[in-house]
Amino acid sequence: MKKSLLVFILFLGSISVFAQGVLKGKITNPVNNEPVSFANVLILETDLGAITDEDGNYEISNIPAGLYNVRASFVGFKPVTKYEVRVTLAKAVQLDFELVEDAAELNEVVVSSEFSRSEETPLSVRKLNSNEIERYPGGNRDISRVIQALPGVASTPSFRNDILIRGGAPNENKFFVDEIEVPVINHFSTQGSSGGPVGILNVNLIKNVDLIAGGFPANRMNALSSFFEVSLKEGRRDQMFTQLTLGASELTLSNEGPIGEKTTYLLSARRSYLQGLFKLLQLPFLPTFNDFQLKTTTKLNDKTELTFLGIGAVDKFVLNEELPDGESQEERENRQYLLGVLPVQEQWNYATGFKLKRFRENGYWTFVLSRNMLNNRSYKFANNDESSSENLLFDYLSQESENKFRAENSIFGSGYTLKYGVNYEYARYFIDNFDRSSLASTGQTIDVNSTSHFNSYGAFVSGSKYFDGERLLLTGGIRMDGSDFGKTSQNPLNQIAPRLSLSYQLGSNLYATANAGIYYQKPPYTVLGYKNNEGELVNQENDVRFIRSSQLIGGIELLQPEKNRRFTAEAFYKHYSNYPSSVRNGIALANLGADFGVIGNEPVESNAKGRAYGLELLAQQRLFNDFYGIAAVTLVRSEFTNPNTDGYAPSSWDNRFIISLTAGKRFGKNWELGARWRFLGGTPYTPYDLEESALISNWDLRNTGILDYDQINAVRLPAFHQLDLRLDKKYYYKNWNLNWYVDIQNAYNFEAQQAPILIPVRDDAGSILVNPNDPSRYQLKLIENTAGSLLPSVGIIVEF
């Protein structure tokens, strides 16, 4: 038996030695979707290559398994390089290219950039491919964590995926998947903000991700800090391909292939057992989640393409009331506090849509019709005792649903591009909210059940033009947006948003870039749909407005295409106005942190201002001589005014200093080792008002302290840093592939300081002690609050 097993293992090993991989695909012109015939496709640093046929198809065979950089080129077109293409033995790799005509190809100045540069967004764009996302140390194959390696991106030391870009709040980002907006990309998202412990998107289906942190194109709306453009792969056109991923917290199944001659599909389903990991770590909350993704692409004819997208998630969050053995007094008190304030949460969401692309000789029309919905429910009973309705502290249910239509026309001429389009959105916001804790701040219990409807509309026009033999690129645009959520917002002329960018080629691979623009974003639906007990849309009466951000950016970019390197430096300044602030406590919503819960469900006024400014430095090494890495340094200040204070105060996202160093090395026999180190300056926080918090009438309603908003973000936490490691080993066999990995987050077990927790002092029986000097108050104390622990995980990926 042992001899037979040894022979079988040697047989599998011999397959990986003698079998060879295949790379094939199609090259087209993205302007008119016509094939590019007789183009060259070269696997860099090898002698392997091919030439496309009359239909733009190519095939390269006899390729040893491994990672390669592949370049496509043709006279009169700008060359394109795809980095880190993984060739396996199980199935032929499908790799398609789009080559854009180059008007300056025969001029003296030739733009030579292996890092793609967009005419619409010539600056502040960072790109990641699927392989970079998948192998990122500490990223757990999650986009929200992986982009933390890029400049200007801050994160919190907790387990959440809050995305903080260039000093902006986490709700200032928008996400598009294949040009269809997907508002929620994280499980257990904070309504009115963003974030969550785990991302929804499956990296197995992703082709690449673009992070646009400034100089936003005019056809994108309703964001102030960034746009994420996620491009999914097209399903295989030849045969079915399956990937099974078994991780420390989840099981994922991905499948792709053809449906007939004209349609391909991508499909993914994931089931978590994260609650088991959290229970093992003895955390007081146990989340579980499921998600799915589906994409189909249908070539109706040579000039018409229809894409369908569906993304959804179901989340449940329960409390872990089991008391672990060996807990210290402080750990037990911390656990009791969290169990007293954390709600039980149930959430589901989906986004679905169609995109129709109709090509012609000099451009194409794009039509997008989509719908998305978020259902969020959370409730809390005093002492988590659900036996009586009298113990109910709050019960919150709300739904956000949007129906969207967008039409865009793209026209490409000799050295210029013109785009214009319109969009319309119908939204419904439903809320059923019972909240006794509001007695502490408003003097009455909130009990609201209402539905609100909103119509939003917009239009844009933009263009780009090359000058001086393509040395100078000018890009400009203007858009207008309106919505009926407020008197001022109804008129699109009140939200005119012009923008202008330029890129000038100083040398063969040296560019200077600049941008100036104005951008608008709607407040969250929790603000727009808030009603008081009388059923009045309070914030509509307050004439809540679009949030406005004026931005300036200047930078320089140096490329070394022969070594796959890129260096950038960018300075930025953002000025916010019309920012909503809380009427109850007199602070800007930007100074409210993001956590499990809801932000903005209260009366607000559009009277706060803010500013964020800083410098970003980036050095990026794409795969070269089996080494890759990213070094990013950001200096940033983020400040907001508050109606009840004078001048600017640091925002909750004011890290001031961010460093991210990521590097990896590929070794022989398909071993790979990666490491990431992050350092973030400490963020400020608002201390508790100890006198108000100690009042028995307040504590019994809230089970948590009341912040002292006269000292907004007056105390700053120590800096946070963390080291993550990842080891990968891949095996390539004739009909299947195997990859196992070990991922270690927080390798040296750094415990980050967070804002201290205010808890009541209890006797041995667990009862809260009353202040003997003031019978109207409890005895309270502050305890240390830390986040971060050594978290090793393993995973297995099987492809067949």
Side-chain angles (χ1 to χ4, degrees):
M1 178 66 181
K2 292 182 179 178
K3 186 176 181 180
S4 300
L5 180 61
L6 177 62
V7 171
F8 179 69
I9 293 174
L10 291 175
F11 173 69
L12 291 178
S14 66
I15 291 175
S16 65
V17 171
F18 296 107
Q20 300 290 297
V22 176
L23 182 67
K24 63 181 182 179
K26 186 172 184 177
I27 300 180
T28 57
N29 183 337
V31 171
N32 51 31
N33 204 39
E34 293 182 356
V36 180
S37 306
F38 312 116
N40 296 303
V41 183
L42 177 65
I43 300 178
L44 301 181
E45 300 180 24
T46 74
D47 296 328
L48 301 173
I51 298 176
T52 59
D53 59 20
E54 292 183 352
D55 296 322
N57 298 309
Y58 74 92
E59 182 173 319
I60 306 173
S61 56
N62 299 319
I63 308 171
L67 282 180
Y68 299 94
N69 299 329
V70 185
R71 179 185 299 166
S73 61
F74 188 62
V75 175
F77 290 79
K78 297 178 181 179
V80 172
T81 299
K82 298 290 183 72
Y83 293 91
E84 301 188 35
V85 177
R86 188 158 67 96
V87 176
T88 72
L89 311 179
K91 295 281 194 297
V93 177
Q94 180 176 292
L95 183 66
D96 298 330
F97 289 87
E98 293 182 339
L99 296 186
V100 179
E101 293 187 59
D102 188 354
E105 179 70 25
L106 301 179
N107 293 348
E108 293 183 5
V109 179
V110 178
V111 178
S112 177
S113 172
E114 303 304 326
F115 290 87
S116 301
R117 310 183 80 249
S118 168
E119 292 182 6
E120 283 189 294
T121 52
L123 77 171
S124 303
V125 178
R126 319 299 184 190
K127 296 177 178 288
L128 294 170
N129 60 42
S130 60
N131 217 55
E132 291 173 306
I133 299 170
E134 184 171 348
R135 55 110 190 280
Y136 185 74
N140 198 28
R141 298 160 51 84
D142 191 332
I143 290 174
S144 298
R145 293 184 181 271
V146 174
I147 62 102
Q148 294 171 10
L150 302 177
V153 182
S155 59
T156 57
S158 64
F159 56 88
R160 292 178 55 80
N161 285 348
D162 298 306
I163 302 172
L164 315 169
I165 296 178
R166 291 184 172 179
N171 66 341
E172 296 177 13
N173 312 297
K174 283 293 179 289
F175 310 93
F176 287 80
V177 179
D178 282 341
E179 299 188 70
I180 297 172
E181 185 175 349
V182 179
V184 179
I185 67 162
N186 284 300
H187 293 280
F188 304 101
S189 177
T190 300
Q191 191 174 3
S193 184
S194 76
V198 182
I200 290 175
L201 301 180
N202 181 0
V203 66
N204 299 342
L205 310 187
I206 293 175
K207 181 168 61 175
N208 54 63
V209 177
D210 290 356
L211 166 60
I212 307 173
F216 306 136
N219 67 336
R220 292 292 181 256
M221 73 296 291
N222 205 30
L224 303 178
S225 283
S226 77
F227 288 93
F228 285 80
E229 299 285 349
V230 181
S231 298
L232 300 185
K233 299 184 295 183
E234 183 181 334
R236 294 186 65 95
R237 296 186 289 268
D238 53 358
Q239 57 185 313
M240 185 183 296
F241 186 69
T242 302
Q243 185 179 71
L244 182 66
T245 303
L246 178 64
S249 60
E250 63 201 39
L251 174 66
T252 307
L253 177 66
S254 308
N255 183 259
E256 59 178 296
I259 306 177
E261 296 182 358
K262 295 184 177 182
T263 302
T264 63
Y265 73 91
L266 293 171
L267 177 65
S268 166
R270 177 165 54 170
R271 168 69 176 175
S272 84
Y273 37 89
L274 193 64
Q275 69 276 14
L277 177 63
F278 277 40
K279 195 168 187 177
L280 182 65
L281 295 173
Q282 300 180 344
L283 296 177
F285 45 90
L286 304 176
T288 182
F289 63 85
N290 301 275
D291 58 50
F292 66 87
Q293 290 176 241
L294 173 64
K295 175 186 175 180
T296 64
T297 304
T298 303
K299 312 288 186 181
L300 299 176
N301 53 52
D302 292 340
K303 294 294 184 179
T304 309
E305 179 179 286
L306 179 65
T307 300
F308 169 78
L309 179 70
I311 297 175
V314 179
D315 308 327
K316 189 172 183 179
F317 180 106
V318 297
L319 300 179
N320 178 18
E321 299 188 64
E322 293 185 14
L323 297 178
D325 298 328
E327 260 192 335
S328 66
Q329 175 70 17
E330 184 175 290
E331 290 173 332
R332 183 165 58 253
E333 289 175 337
N334 194 351
R335 174 180 296 274
Q336 287 178 321
Y337 167 79
L338 291 176
L339 288 173
V341 298
L342 285 176
V344 175
Q345 186 176 23
E346 299 172 356
Q347 189 177 102
W348 54 262
N349 67 83
Y350 67 82
T352 184
F354 290 92
K355 180 182 71 173
L356 181 68
K357 207 165 187 178
R358 175 64 179 170
F359 293 91
R360 57 182 186 279
E361 188 61 31
N362 67 335
Y364 50 82
W365 276 96
T366 304
F367 302 96
V368 177
L369 180 64
S370 66
R371 174 178 169 82
N372 56 264
M373 185 170 182
L374 169 67
N375 185 95
N376 186 29
R377 189 194 176 209
S378 60
Y379 60 88
K380 186 68 179 178
F381 285 83
N383 301 316
N384 300 313
D385 180 7
E386 301 183 20
S387 61
S388 172
S389 60
E390 295 181 358
N391 295 329
L392 183 64
L393 296 176
F394 69 84
D395 190 352
Y396 176 88
L397 170 65
S398 75
Q399 295 176 341
E400 300 176 5
S401 59
E402 298 175 325
N403 302 278
K404 303 177 181 179
F405 174 75
R406 192 171 82 247
E408 301 177 7
N409 188 18
S410 302
I411 303 169
F412 301 88
S414 178
Y416 74 91
T417 301
L418 177 65
K419 292 187 176 183
Y420 60 88
V422 295
N423 62 277
Y424 170 75
E425 174 185 311
Y426 168 72
R428 171 185 175 271
Y429 177 74
F430 166 77
I431 183 169
D432 186 357
N433 186 24
F434 172 82
D435 189 354
R436 286 176 53 201
S437 65
S438 63
L439 276 169
S441 55
T442 66
Q444 61 178 335
T445 297
I446 292 177
D447 191 358
V448 175
N449 183 303
S450 69
T451 302
S452 304
H453 303 272
F454 304 102
N455 296 275
S456 301
Y457 32 86
F460 80 94
V461 60
S462 65
S464 60
K465 173 67 176 174
Y466 282 102
F467 299 91
D468 193 18
E470 288 203 354
R471 281 186 184 275
L472 175 64
L473 170 63
L474 290 181
T475 302
I478 187 170
R479 70 168 296 116
M480 297 186 298
D481 288 286
S483 182
D484 58 6
F485 62 75
K487 181 179 178 181
T488 300
S489 65
Q490 290 181 3
N491 186 352
L493 296 177
N494 293 326
Q495 290 84 225
I496 296 179
R499 61 210 66 191
L500 177 66
S501 299
L502 68 86
S503 174
Y504 187 76
Q505 188 175 2
L506 301 173
S508 60
N509 290 296
L510 182 64
Y511 301 85
T513 56
N515 167 263
I518 297 174
Y519 312 102
Y520 287 92
Q521 179 177 333
K522 293 186 301 183
Y525 286 109
T526 50
V527 168
L528 303 182
Y530 172 76
K531 290 185 179 182
N532 58 19
N533 287 348
E534 289 71 41
E536 299 170 330
L537 278 170
V538 177
N539 296 325
Q540 190 175 72
E541 294 297 321
N542 292 340
D543 193 24
V544 65
R545 303 185 181 190
F546 277 85
I547 306 170
R548 186 179 190 266
S549 178
S550 303
Q551 303 186 15
L552 293 173
I553 306 171
I556 194 166
E557 179 180 24
L558 174 64
L559 303 168
Q560 295 182 344
E562 70 281 358
K563 296 183 179 180
N564 301 343
R565 291 176 187 164
R566 179 191 193 194
F567 303 90
T568 66
E570 286 191 1
F572 61 90
Y573 180 86
K574 301 194 291 187
H575 181 268
Y576 295 90
S577 57
N578 300 340
Y579 216 99
S581 69
S582 170
V583 173
R584 293 173 183 170
N585 52 43
I587 70 167
L589 296 191
N591 285 325
L592 290 176
D595 209 333
F596 296 109
V598 177
I599 289 178
N601 186 38
E602 57 181 306
V604 304
E605 293 182 349
S606 298
N607 58 0
K609 295 186 296 183
R611 62 189 181 193
Y613 52 93
L615 175 67
E616 297 176 352
L617 304 175
L618 169 69
Q620 182 177 10
Q621 173 70 69
R622 282 271 170 75
L623 181 64
F624 185 74
N625 290 337
D626 291 328
F627 174 81
Y628 53 85
I630 299 177
V633 177
T634 303
L635 306 175
V636 61
R637 296 291 296 268
S638 177
E639 304 168 321
F640 278 83
T641 64
N642 301 283
N644 65 349
T645 60
D646 296 326
Y648 285 90
S651 77
S652 298
W653 328 115
D654 185 40
N655 288 96
R656 297 195 174 183
F657 196 70
I658 307 168
I659 299 176
S660 179
L661 305 176
T662 306
K665 173 70 176 175
R666 296 177 62 236
F667 300 93
K669 298 183 179 180
N670 299 310
W671 287 91
E672 186 172 327
L673 179 64
R676 175 189 71 162
W677 185 72
R678 285 185 299 152
F679 179 94
L680 291 91
T683 53
Y685 69 92
T686 302
Y688 289 106
D689 185 328
L690 299 180
E691 290 296 316
E692 288 295 313
S693 300
L695 285 171
I696 294 176
S697 57
N698 286 340
W699 189 270
D700 285 347
L701 287 172
R702 302 169 62 93
N703 284 324
T704 187
I706 297 174
L707 298 178
D708 183 0
Y709 290 117
D710 290 330
Q711 301 184 65
I712 296 174
N713 290 336
V715 186
R716 189 172 290 271
L717 296 169
F720 156 74
H721 50 88
Q722 177 174 313
L723 174 67
D724 302 321
L725 302 172
R726 176 163 169 142
L727 177 67
D728 281 81
K729 169 63 175 174
K730 294 180 173 64
Y731 302 87
Y732 300 110
Y733 302 116
K734 184 176 181 180
N735 295 313
W736 62 290
N737 308 313
L738 174 66
N739 173 202
W740 63 260
Y741 63 88
V742 177
D743 193 286
I744 302 176
Q745 297 182 41
N746 198 13
Y748 51 73
N749 198 28
F750 179 80
E751 293 188 353
Q753 293 289 329
Q754 300 194 98
I757 296 175
L758 184 65
I759 66 170
V761 179
R762 300 176 183 269
D763 59 22
D764 293 338
S767 300
I768 302 177
L769 297 179
V770 176
N771 188 337
N773 299 319
D774 186 351
S776 67
R777 287 180 166 84
Y778 286 130
Q779 295 184 45
L780 304 179
K781 66 177 180 178
L782 291 168
I783 64 171
E784 187 180 63
N785 181 22
T786 60
S789 61
L790 178 69
L791 184 59
S793 62
V794 296
I796 298 175
I797 303 173
V798 180
E799 300 173 327
F800 53 92

